[in-house]
Amino acid sequence: MSNNSLLQSSIPGMEAHRGKVRDVYEFGDKLLFVATDRISAFDWVLPTGIPDKGRVLTQMSKVWFDRLDVRNHLISMDMGDLDLPDGVDVESLDGRSMVVLKTEVFPVECVVRGYLSGSGWKEYQETGRVCGIQLPAGMKESDKLAEPIFTPATKETSGHDINISFEQMCEIIPAETSKKLRDLSFQVYQSGADYAAKEGIIIADTKFEFGHLDGEIILIDEVLTPDSSRFWPVDQYEPGKSQPSFDKQFVRDHLVECGWDRNSEPPALPDDIVAKTRAKYVEAYEILAKGEFPWK
């Protein structure tokens, strides 16, 4: 196991656009995506990273990009394909970096839900709907939906993305393009969910990002990872309650139990929570990739 987590990447002489997890560098018509080991919870980026988490997200996205029959932005996993300045610590970026196409990003998260959980469950309890979609009465938390639903969300620079209806999405992105994004999201979700189910993982819901380049829609960012999706073990699935998951569940549970008020700087994570969380991310990768995680 790696001893250190990478909380922030650095390339001499270059500025990065830093999201909650990714640092993005521009190289003309290409981008370098670096997935750090930062982890967020309750809309805060925590001071403690999860070692190799960024590598899990990157390598798992590579698995899906190779499997899915849809154009994506991945050019290469080799940073040597870029004209990097002198002095770059290539070793620290190894396994967590992707050279990708630079696209014009659609300003909406494309969310597909196959099960009733998270903010969808909360909204259903209040209104019987999820993003304007009427669901049958009497559903329980974590119930499987009769068929997946498309529940887009706005991209917010801070805090939670905001759920919107498909009709609202069509006010942001032209209706015909919105329909194409919805159909493509269903296609990718179903393909991924079918494969994962055979390997023992339920993909309860997920979010996709798309860009467009030369008139074509392209799947971008990460795809079907424990950060962008809810992964549940098939053999422990039991509707009517929250499910165990392959993500930052240990982190969330610890932050709730330690009494943090969620309004001040979050506390550091203890070593055992870090180790358990890392193990869950690695386990999810090894199940879906059908192989050992290279950075043991």
Side-chain angles (χ1 to χ4, degrees), residues 1-2 37 51-60 94-96 278-279 281-287 289-296:
M1 172 177 168
S2 301
D37 297 326
D52 295 318
K53 172 176 171 283
R55 291 187 168 114
V56 169
L57 301 182
T58 300
Q59 299 303 316
M60 189 176 292
D94 182 43
R96 61 175 74 251
R278 180 186 186 276
Y281 274 83
V282 171
E283 182 184 3
Y285 169 81
E286 293 185 336
I287 290 171
K290 298 183 180 182
E292 187 172 352
F293 183 61
W295 290 269
K296 282 288 193 180

Side-chain angles (χ1 to χ4, degrees), residues 142 202 204 230-238 241-247 249-250 253 280:
S142 304
I202 293 169
R230 281 188 176 85
F231 286 175
W232 299 339
V234 169
D235 60 1
Q236 298 179 53
Y237 173 61
E238 186 179 342
K241 62 180 184 179
S242 177
Q243 305 298 304
S245 57
F246 292 93
D247 60 9
Q249 178 180 335
F250 292 115
D253 290 349
K280 274 298 175 187

Side-chain angles (χ1 to χ4, degrees), residues 45-176:
V45 175
L46 305 184
T48 312
I50 306 298
D52 295 318
K53 172 176 171 283
R55 291 187 168 114
V56 169
L57 301 182
T58 300
Q59 299 303 316
M60 189 176 292
S61 291
K62 173 67 162 58
V63 168
W64 288 116
F65 284 141
D66 288 346
R67 286 194 61 86
L68 297 168
D69 186 23
V70 58
R71 189 182 178 195
N72 62 72
H73 70 163
L74 179 62
I75 298 173
S76 168
M77 305 290 284
D78 184 1
M79 289 178 291
D81 290 343
L82 295 174
D83 184 18
L84 294 172
D86 294 336
V88 177
D89 181 4
V90 175
E91 185 177 351
S92 71
L93 306 182
D94 182 43
R96 61 175 74 251
S97 302
M98 295 190 296
V99 180
V100 302
L101 293 168
K102 184 178 180 180
T103 70
E104 187 173 347
V105 180
F106 289 107
V108 169
E109 300 273 7
C110 292
V111 181
V112 179
R113 302 175 188 270
Y115 292 74
L116 188 57
S117 185
S119 63
W121 167 241
K122 181 179 179 181
E123 185 179 346
Y124 172 78
Q125 290 178 287
E126 295 170 352
T127 68
R129 298 171 176 263
V130 178
C131 290
I133 300 171
Q134 184 70 52
L135 296 180
M139 295 190 72
K140 298 178 292 186
E141 182 177 8
S142 304
D143 266 346
K144 184 176 183 179
L145 301 172
E147 58 185 18
I149 60 175
F150 183 71
T151 60
T154 61
K155 292 173 183 279
E156 300 299 316
T157 54
S158 63
H160 269 306
D161 297 334
I162 300 172
N163 292 345
I164 57 175
S165 67
F166 179 69
E167 290 72 24
Q168 289 172 305
M169 176 177 172
C170 291
E171 295 174 3
I172 301 170
I173 299 171
E176 191 62 34

Side-chain angles (χ1 to χ4, degrees), residues 217-231:
I217 295 174
I218 299 175
L219 180 62
I220 65 170
D221 201 58
E222 64 180 316
V223 59
L224 297 170
T225 73
D227 268 19
S228 65
S229 319
R230 281 188 176 85
F231 286 175

